[in-house]
Amino acid sequence: GESVGLHLPTLSVQEGDNSIINCAYSNSASDYFIWYKQESGKGPQFIIDIRSNMDKRQGQRVTVLLNKTVKHLSLQIAATQPGDSAVYFCAENILNTDKLIFGTGTRLQVFP
Amino acid sequence: SQTIHQWPATLVQPVGSPLSLECTVEGTSNPNLYWYRQAAGRGLQLLFYSVGIGQISSEVPQNLSASRPQDRQFILSSKKLLLSDSGFYLCAWSNPFRDKDQPQHFGDGTRLSIL
């Protein structure tokens, strides 16, 4: 499959630990944010999203935190599992557009 | 439920040859459609997007073109491929903008190698 993330920042965590992946976004006019997970050879898969009028949103084992003051987004994964190993991208949607701007990605490696 | 299909999954083409990659979406109507390119170790670069049949917006100058002949069909083309066109091409769809704050959903991509 396609080798994504050859030169990406890497986060290595032990199975069962919590993971925190960070993202700095660029545009203060962005009003909607998404986290994607991309496994090797596949397209990005939607994980969770958050609107700019919120600062936290929880899903199943995942939590997204948004700090608009410093334009920072984070993805927290609880009890990380081997199946969580992938490259994670944040994306921002600029107000009143149909377009997303993607971050460069972080590779998450889970070891036993 | 909605599904998106891209083909082929992999493609090896000689420099100077033409290209046609196809993407179709099922289970929705009047979606926004997108083509992205992803270089190894990089994020996604938006190439084209479309909000309706025959409506194409180009994001970056390049050797590629896009067309939308039907509501749920999006095609990426080139008349003459360059070495620099190698990459991983991803198609995505989303509900129309009027349905505020909708994520994009991606196909599994085409890995294009130019020799």
Side-chain angles (χ1 to χ4, degrees):
Chain A
E2 176 69 18
S3 296
V4 297
L6 291 178
H7 308 290
L8 295 174
T10 299
L11 174 66
S12 296
V13 300
Q14 190 164 23
E15 182 178 356
D17 286 352
N18 297 335
S19 303
I20 300 177
I21 301 171
N22 296 302
C23 176
Y25 64 93
S26 58
N27 197 314
S28 57
S30 296
D31 65 341
Y32 174 59
F33 304 87
I34 308 170
W35 278 102
Y36 287 93
K37 172 187 179 183
Q38 187 176 24
E39 297 176 272
S40 183
K42 296 190 175 182
Q45 177 185 7
F46 170 82
I47 302 173
I48 192 168
D49 57 3
I50 188 168
R51 294 173 175 76
S52 59
N53 61 352
M54 304 169 67
D55 53 21
K56 180 178 180 179
R57 190 173 186 208
Q58 288 185 289
Q60 186 177 11
R61 276 202 312 120
V62 294
T63 301
V64 55
L65 299 177
L66 174 63
N67 185 330
K68 295 183 287 293
T69 302
V70 295
K71 293 191 287 187
H72 184 266
L73 195 66
S74 69
L75 177 70
Q76 300 178 1
I77 304 174
T80 313
Q81 302 169 1
D84 295 326
S85 295
V87 177
Y88 290 80
F89 292 96
C90 65
E92 58 183 300
N93 176 239
I94 298 175
L95 183 66
N96 295 327
T97 75
D98 293 300
K99 297 181 283 187
L100 294 177
I101 298 174
F102 283 81
T104 53
T106 298
R107 182 202 299 271
L108 176 65
Q109 292 181 330
V110 183
F111 56 93
Chain B
S1 65
Q2 301 92 350
T3 56
I4 180 169
H5 303 280
Q6 277 189 251
W7 67 92
T10 60
L11 187 61
V12 180
Q13 291 284 101
V15 170
S17 64
L19 173 73
S20 180
L21 301 181
E22 189 162 343
C23 171
T24 59
V25 180
E26 296 176 358
T28 186
S29 60
N30 196 29
N32 291 340
L33 297 172
Y34 306 83
W35 277 113
Y36 289 86
R37 176 168 55 206
Q38 185 176 33
R42 305 281 186 208
L44 281 69
Q45 179 187 34
L46 179 63
L47 302 176
F48 301 96
Y49 72 98
S50 171
V51 299
I53 296 174
Q55 300 179 61
I56 308 295
S57 295
S58 175
E59 290 297 296
V60 294
Q62 60 203 302
N63 184 42
L64 302 168
S65 61
S67 61
R68 185 171 177 173
Q70 300 180 44
D71 181 44
R72 290 169 291 174
Q73 184 184 30
F74 207 22
I75 298 172
L76 185 68
S77 304
S78 174
K79 292 182 179 177
K80 276 188 172 184
L81 286 166
L82 306 173
L83 283 173
S84 58
D85 291 324
S86 292
F88 192 46
Y89 289 85
L90 290 155
C91 181
W93 73 273
S94 70
N95 284 320
F97 172 66
R98 62 175 177 273
D99 300 334
K100 188 80 170 74
D101 294 343
Q102 296 289 327
Q104 293 178 19
H105 302 277
F106 288 82
D108 276 338
T110 295
R111 183 161 71 92
L112 175 64
S113 299
I114 310 299
L115 304 179

